Amino acid sequence: MPELPEVETIRRELHHVLTGKKITGCFIVRPDIIGYPSPAAFCRGLTGRRIMKVDRRAKYLILRLDGGLSLIFHLRLSGALIYTKSQTDKIKYGRLVLRLGSNNLIFSEPRVLGRAYLIESDNIPSCLQGFNRLGQEPLVRKFNVNYLRDRIIHRQAPIKNLMLDQSICAGTGNIYADEALFRAGIKPDRRANTLNHAEIVRLVKKLKEVLRAGIKNGGTTVSDYRRIDGRTGGFQRSLNVYGRENKPCLVCGTAIVYIKIGNRGTRYCPSCQK
DNA sequence: ATGACGTCCTGCCTGC
DNA sequence: TGCAGGCAGGACGTCA
């Protein structure tokens, strides 16, 4: 599933190929993929716009268009954006096709949970609920020990839940939360208010580390995630716990355990994580 | 304010 | 083989 490193990989690739391109057409296959405004207004507003740059905020991809508009994608669990030169390419589960001269940008989304929005750049927080509640990006300097400690020290929820809370760790998802907790040696079901200073220090450090490694490897492909040319990511080869339930821990050999925390599948090593 | 849980949606896996 | 049912999971809404 696309988390911060996957969305950042897509952002870099899209920025490279889309900057300066003009949207010459828009075809909606599944109208419920359009989050805002109406499908007709979405197509009308997009057509003829030029793409100035591609940004990212948490797991949102933001295509800045001329005329003060932003085209925003959230890929949720299985979304992908495929940039294809061929007009005849049949992309599976294509829900939205943007025509860019002789190329297509296809929003593929098997589960139809992802969304596309067309919003005036100044109005993003009012049209996208939750957008202005996003917390710090884990990779910025401001995401430090003080920041995280202030937000978790009074909380009784399992630390895993708070890492998935976008108002605290903006962009972190299930895979990198599990991997960061493994690298920090912290059990995912620990109540957040039981973490000591040294553990919070480790968690901040390891979360940054694992996200950077994810970006460096072009993201993690477990099932649906694809880069814009259809290639898979490379970080799945470096996973310690995610998707490795019942397999031996790569550090100590103990079987990786699968539990549910807040209805989310969670993997950890019962020996390495305390 | 917080935390637990249901909902959306559909492909895929499991079990009979 | 085929079908039914369960499951995954990010964000958000609801409820206590």
Side-chain angles (χ1 to χ4, degrees):
Chain A
M1 60 223 85
E3 306 178 25
L4 190 155
E6 290 74 36
V7 179
E8 177 60 21
T9 299
I10 294 167
R11 184 201 71 76
R12 292 178 182 187
E13 295 175 347
L14 285 181
H15 184 75
H16 183 69
V17 299
L18 293 187
T19 301
K21 292 268 190 329
K22 195 174 185 178
I23 299 169
T24 53
C26 166
F27 179 59
I28 297 170
V29 182
R30 277 288 296 259
D32 39 354
I33 213 83
I34 308 301
Y36 184 91
S38 70
F42 180 89
C43 273
R44 209 182 317 123
L46 266 186
T47 307
R49 296 288 171 194
R50 200 173 290 280
I51 299 163
M52 312 306 284
K53 64 185 290 204
V54 184
D55 287 331
R56 178 187 62 76
R57 176 71 173 110
K59 299 172 198 168
Y60 292 95
L61 269 171
I62 307 171
L63 280 62
R64 305 287 184 188
L65 311 178
D66 60 2
L69 288 170
S70 288
L71 170 59
I72 303 180
F73 290 98
H74 196 300
L75 306 177
R76 289 287 187 107
L77 308 176
S78 57
L81 286 165
I82 304 297
Y83 185 71
T84 171
K85 294 209 173 292
S86 168
Q87 302 178 31
T88 53
D89 259 3
K90 287 272 189 287
I91 301 295
K92 233 180 165 186
Y93 313 119
R95 313 300 194 192
L96 167 69
V97 181
L98 296 186
R99 210 73 190 110
L100 301 144
S102 58
N103 298 333
N104 292 319
L105 182 68
I106 301 179
F107 185 20
S108 162
E109 167 56 312
R111 280 179 247 193
V112 204
L113 287 171
R115 291 288 180 270
Y117 309 84
L118 181 65
I119 304 175
E120 288 171 28
S121 298
D122 296 337
N123 287 336
I124 292 174
S126 55
C127 292
L128 264 185
Q129 59 275 64
F131 198 88
N132 54 355
R133 276 181 278 143
L134 289 171
Q136 290 288 351
E137 300 270 332
L139 291 181
V140 304
R141 196 179 289 270
K142 282 183 181 170
F143 190 99
N144 54 30
V145 175
N146 287 343
Y147 169 84
L148 188 61
R149 189 194 53 218
D150 289 350
R151 274 155 189 81
I152 71 171
I153 203 66
H154 306 294
R155 303 285 299 269
Q156 297 193 64
I159 183 62
K160 165 77 183 281
N161 277 9
L162 301 189
M163 295 187 70
L164 295 177
D165 185 333
Q166 298 302 295
S167 70
I168 299 175
C169 302
T172 305
N174 211 24
I175 297 174
Y176 294 91
D178 279 5
E179 293 297 319
L181 286 165
F182 173 81
R183 291 181 181 216
I186 299 166
K187 268 182 79 181
D189 60 355
R190 285 271 301 282
R191 302 276 153 187
N193 58 3
T194 70
L195 267 64
N196 63 36
H197 186 77
E199 288 172 326
I200 299 173
V201 169
R202 285 209 304 275
L203 189 52
V204 168
K205 183 164 181 271
K206 297 300 177 180
L207 177 59
K208 287 174 186 278
E209 199 177 282
V210 75
L211 291 172
R212 286 204 188 95
I215 294 172
K216 198 176 172 191
N217 287 274
T220 303
T221 299
V222 175
S223 54
D224 301 296
Y225 165 67
R226 291 292 181 277
R227 302 172 70 158
I228 70 167
D229 55 4
R231 278 185 298 157
T232 56
F235 196 62
Q236 60 278 9
R237 291 190 288 272
S238 306
L239 297 177
N240 281 287
V241 287
Y242 190 87
R244 297 198 65 252
E245 47 268 38
N246 303 319
K247 291 183 179 154
C249 170
L250 298 171
V251 172
C252 75
T254 307
I256 300 299
V257 170
Y258 177 91
I259 58 171
K260 285 231 170 195
I261 297 178
N263 216 24
R264 295 273 140 69
T266 300
R267 294 84 174 168
Y268 72 97
C269 171
S271 169
C272 293
Q273 294 172 257
K274 307 292 182 193

